[in-house]
Amino acid sequence: MVASDYRWKDGFPKIGIRPTIDGRRKGVRESLEDQTMNLAKAVSSLLSEHLRYPNGEPVECVIADTCIGGVAEAAAAAKKFKNNEVGLTITVTPCWCYGTETMDTDPSLPKAVWGFNGTGRPGAVYLAAVLSAHAQKGLPAFGIYGEDVQDEGDSVIPDDVQEKLLRFTRSGLAAAYIRGKSYLSMGSVSMGIAGSIVNDAFFQEYLGMRNEYVDMSEFTRRLEEGIYDPEEFEAALSWVKDHCKEGADNNPEKLQSSRERKDLEWETVVKMTLITRDLMIGNPRLAELGFVEESQGHHAVASGFQGQRQWTDHAPNGDFLETMLNSSFDWNGKRAPYIVATENDSLNGVNMLFGQLLTNTAQIFADVRTYWSPASVERVTGYKLEGHAEGGLLHLINSGSAALDGTGEQEIDGKPALKPFWDITDEEVTNTLQSTEFRPANVEYFRGGGFSTDYLTRGGMPMTMHRLNLVKGLGPVLQIAEGYSVDLPDHVHQTLDQRTDPTWPTTWFVPKLTGQGAFSSVYEVMNNWGANHGVISYGHIGADLITLASILRIPVNMHNVPAEQVFRPRAWGMFGTEQAESADFRACQNFGPLYK
């Protein structure tokens, strides 16, 4: 079993589909059996056709053995779902059913109900009744109700219903997949960054995750004792020499390392990459080499590398390992990204995990470094910003884990994009590597050396910047900014880039403005951002993030997602409909963390 497959040895959560029905026999139930079960099968086909697990396989649905007309059949379905590792449920019905007798009462499973909008039977009446029961019992459920009336017996799923089914399922699967997994903290707090103070209560109560910890000395031990696969190391080092271009050394000549030293650093950072992956997920090859305990790994779905400063003052930095593991390919070929947060910023790591699970694509980790106003750009470069950037732009740049995919050298319909690994072509991998340089690290920052990734993200991509913050007395809060990557004339980019660190990857990002609140200007987006880091995902995924956050009971304090795309449990409306942002905070506080 190769390492990329080893991650999936425990499988994935499945989707439980619950066809509920009017329990009255002698005519009523019998007339509805086929239609109800066909709705369940149609939902199953829709989800399996459009959604995939992180390994590229279609998602799996488990349909209850019978329609659910009462509590006995509800219990039988719950037992089947438990035995089949179902992680979320969708209840479907075209008719009236007995609400509290047929509902899903598992408090830890995300749940949605689709009540068919047809006049022949009152599926919408059941929907309203059972959602009321969910709210009354403190078991929030998403209500799905098509806008247009359908004919009785129609098995077509309307577009608006499809959108909500897919949004709920993407988000529900993400929540279900991380439950029981670990966040691995490699090292401790980096340079006083609060996000790297790993809050185990947050991970346990809101995400259902464990926390695992290793000291940075574990890297020294594994490097010195050879606790890695030597055959894979040789293959990896050969691939790196052939495909990873070493860029110019930006250090003053007197501080530049010798060629011999740089070659040693290359060997070390490749070994660090193998060690990090093995720490996260384990590696059966280590057991064959006599390292049985180490072969188990830490069951980590995400991790963070402290690095600065204790490690990087002495040894090569983690930029290469973070970049390679977060990318969609390496010396073993194309595969799903691993999630490794720079500076052990666990909160940014969680957002990277959210983004990766919602899109099946790699994520860009970056500092939200600088707001460049139109006046500042014109003063420094003589260039007047235009297009998306006419109101200013954000310089997103960090030495660490910006995945190589972030170059934008992958394409969809001829436009730059980030794609799931199974859609990436060999040519796109080559183009990505050719657009990237690995620059000797700035030794004033990184005394131990190493190699930082240097590339420029192509403009024109829809992107979403997002970030979790922890607030004393409130808990976790999510912020979201949809927008676009933008191109600048080369001389403008070079002039602005040189003012920071030209050895690091740059993404020029412009959020969409709404004219209100934090999105009244690009400056206000920067001014309201809650931390020094952010995650940048391909696509406008803000609506999916909002749905996922509501499942986990995490409020959203700023976003620019159109109101018609926001999809939360029906009970959220009970906390107010005029000011949805405030209602979100009250609902999350009222229901509390999902796993508390």
Side-chain angles (χ1 to χ4, degrees):
M1 181 181 290
V2 298
S4 59
D5 295 331
Y6 192 60
R7 274 185 284 179
W8 322 126
K9 63 183 184 301
D10 295 328
F12 298 95
K14 299 179 178 65
I15 305 153
I17 301 183
R18 310 175 70 256
T20 56
I21 199 166
D22 191 323
R24 286 172 282 204
R25 301 278 183 172
K26 298 184 179 180
V28 177
R29 175 165 178 158
E30 290 82 352
S31 70
L32 293 164
E33 288 278 7
D34 289 343
Q35 182 185 1
T36 303
M37 188 58 76
N38 285 339
L39 283 181
K41 292 176 180 177
V43 171
S44 176
S45 296
L46 171 76
L47 301 180
S48 297
E49 180 181 349
H50 286 87
L51 300 179
R52 296 197 192 188
Y53 291 123
N55 68 345
E57 295 178 357
V59 300
E60 293 185 47
C61 298
V62 177
I63 301 176
D65 289 334
T66 67
C67 291
I68 300 169
V71 67
E73 288 165 321
K79 182 177 181 180
K80 180 178 182 180
F81 290 168
K82 184 176 182 179
N83 292 338
N84 284 274
E85 299 182 333
V86 162
L88 64 155
T89 66
I90 300 174
T91 298
V92 300
T93 188
C95 61
W96 168 255
C97 316
Y98 305 149
T100 59
E101 297 180 24
T102 59
M103 65 187 286
D104 169 18
T105 58
D106 188 321
S108 64
L109 294 183
K111 50 187 88 331
V113 184
W114 174 29
F116 184 84
N117 185 4
T119 55
R121 300 281 187 174
V125 178
Y126 169 72
L127 176 64
V130 80
L131 290 175
S132 172
H134 278 287
Q136 188 168 325
K137 291 177 175 292
L139 303 170
F142 290 78
I144 301 174
Y145 178 52
E147 182 174 355
D148 296 321
V149 173
Q150 294 180 258
D151 295 330
E152 188 173 356
D154 189 350
S155 60
V156 173
I157 304 177
D159 290 345
D160 60 333
V161 173
Q162 287 189 34
E163 181 180 357
K164 290 182 177 180
L165 286 168
L166 292 169
R167 177 156 292 140
F168 165 76
T169 305
R170 273 193 298 268
S171 302
L173 282 172
Y177 180 65
I178 63 178
R179 185 183 181 190
K181 304 290 195 308
S182 302
Y183 176 87
L184 173 62
S185 176
M186 297 177 290
S188 184
V189 179
S190 173
M191 302 183 296
I193 295 172
S196 58
I197 303 173
V198 180
N199 187 308
D200 62 334
F202 161 67
F203 278 91
Q204 175 184 323
E205 296 177 6
Y206 283 89
L207 308 180
M209 292 177 63
R210 296 173 180 264
N211 293 96
E212 289 284 288
Y213 307 87
V214 297
D215 191 82
M216 297 302 302
S217 63
E218 178 65 4
F219 281 82
T220 302
R221 182 179 81 92
R222 294 196 180 206
L223 287 167
E224 292 182 355
E225 298 183 19
I227 306 176
Y228 51 85
D229 182 349
E231 294 180 4
E232 185 180 2
F233 165 66
E234 292 297 336
L237 184 63
S238 176
W239 183 89
V240 166
K241 288 179 178 178
D242 290 341
H243 295 93
C244 297
K245 297 186 299 183
E246 183 179 313
D249 193 331
N250 219 50
N251 293 292
E253 189 172 351
K254 65 180 181 179
L255 297 179
Q256 293 181 10
S257 298
S258 67
R259 183 69 259 165
E260 182 181 19
R261 166 70 185 183
K262 288 176 180 174
D263 289 342
L264 179 61
E265 290 176 11
W266 271 118
E267 293 181 10
T268 303
V269 299
V270 171
K271 291 175 183 177
M272 289 166 62
T273 307
L274 300 179
I275 289 169
T276 299
R277 184 202 63 202
D278 293 349
L279 280 166
M280 288 180 66
I281 68 167
N283 187 347
R285 176 73 175 124
L286 296 183
E288 298 172 7
L289 296 170
F291 304 109
V292 177
E293 181 181 359
E294 291 85 349
S295 71
Q296 296 295 307
H298 290 266
H299 203 227
V301 71
S303 68
F305 183 82
Q306 175 198 337
Q308 298 185 79
R309 276 188 45 211
Q310 289 76 15
W311 178 265
T312 57
D313 279 0
H314 172 68
N317 64 21
D319 290 6
F320 180 81
L321 76 86
E322 293 163 1
T323 291
M324 289 309 306
L325 289 174
N326 281 304
S327 299
S328 297
F329 59 86
D330 59 18
W331 41 85
N332 290 318
K334 290 168 280 190
R335 42 81 177 148
Y338 299 84
I339 298 298
V340 186
T342 299
E343 295 157 352
N344 196 28
D345 185 346
S346 60
L347 297 179
N348 228 44
V350 169
N351 272 102
M352 294 172 74
L353 182 58
F354 287 173
Q356 195 264 331
L357 291 174
L358 291 173
T359 66
N360 285 324
T361 60
Q363 307 296 298
I364 300 174
F365 180 118
D367 282 352
V368 185
R369 178 65 66 114
T370 311
Y371 162 68
W372 277 99
S373 68
S376 296
V377 173
E378 191 167 7
R379 175 180 60 82
V380 171
T381 69
Y383 176 73
K384 186 176 181 63
L385 292 173
E386 58 186 16
H388 284 304
E390 66 178 355
L393 71 171
L394 301 180
H395 192 182
L396 308 181
I397 181 172
N398 184 286
S399 74
S401 54
L404 294 176
D405 305 56
T407 59
E409 290 297 331
Q410 301 159 24
E411 293 187 346
I412 297 175
D413 297 328
K415 298 178 180 179
L418 278 71
K419 301 193 294 191
F421 76 89
W422 55 83
D423 286 334
I424 299 172
T425 67
D426 292 341
E427 182 181 10
E428 289 170 337
V429 171
T430 299
N431 292 342
T432 296
L433 289 165
Q434 289 179 346
S435 299
T436 305
E437 290 185 341
F438 293 87
R439 304 282 294 275
N442 182 337
V443 295
E444 292 181 351
Y445 282 132
F446 306 112
R447 299 173 190 172
F451 298 91
S452 296
T453 311
D454 181 22
Y455 65 72
L456 174 62
T457 299
R458 292 173 65 186
M461 290 192 284
M463 307 190 96
T464 302
M465 184 168 76
H466 46 108
R467 165 76 191 187
L468 272 170
N469 298 289
L470 288 178
V471 181
K472 180 72 172 180
L474 175 63
V477 181
L478 178 66
Q479 32 187 189
I480 300 166
E482 294 184 340
Y484 296 89
S485 63
V486 295
D487 291 318
L488 296 176
D490 185 63
H491 77 279
V492 177
H493 162 70
Q494 293 295 343
T495 300
L496 303 183
D497 203 42
Q498 290 290 330
R499 294 173 69 103
T500 304
D501 192 315
T503 69
W504 297 349
T506 280
T507 303
W508 296 109
F509 175 75
V510 177
K512 296 187 301 181
L513 301 180
T514 65
Q516 297 179 329
F519 294 93
S520 59
S521 68
V522 179
Y523 169 80
E524 285 301 325
V525 174
M526 175 80 175
N527 199 36
N528 281 278
W529 206 247
N532 54 311
H533 293 153
V535 173
I536 301 88
S537 303
Y538 176 74
H540 289 157
I541 65 166
D544 286 348
L545 285 166
I546 289 171
T547 296
L548 174 57
S550 67
I551 289 173
L552 300 172
R553 320 285 166 74
I554 297 173
V556 180
N557 75 301
M558 61 178 274
H559 73 82
N560 56 351
V561 177
E564 63 271 16
Q565 295 180 18
V566 174
F567 187 39
R568 293 183 170 115
R570 181 68 63 86
W572 263 234
M574 301 296 178
F575 295 86
T577 58
E578 286 295 316
Q579 296 178 333
E581 184 176 288
S582 296
D584 181 31
F585 276 81
R586 291 192 292 273
C588 289
Q589 182 180 39
N590 178 73
F591 292 113
L594 184 58
Y595 303 108
K596 189 171 182 178

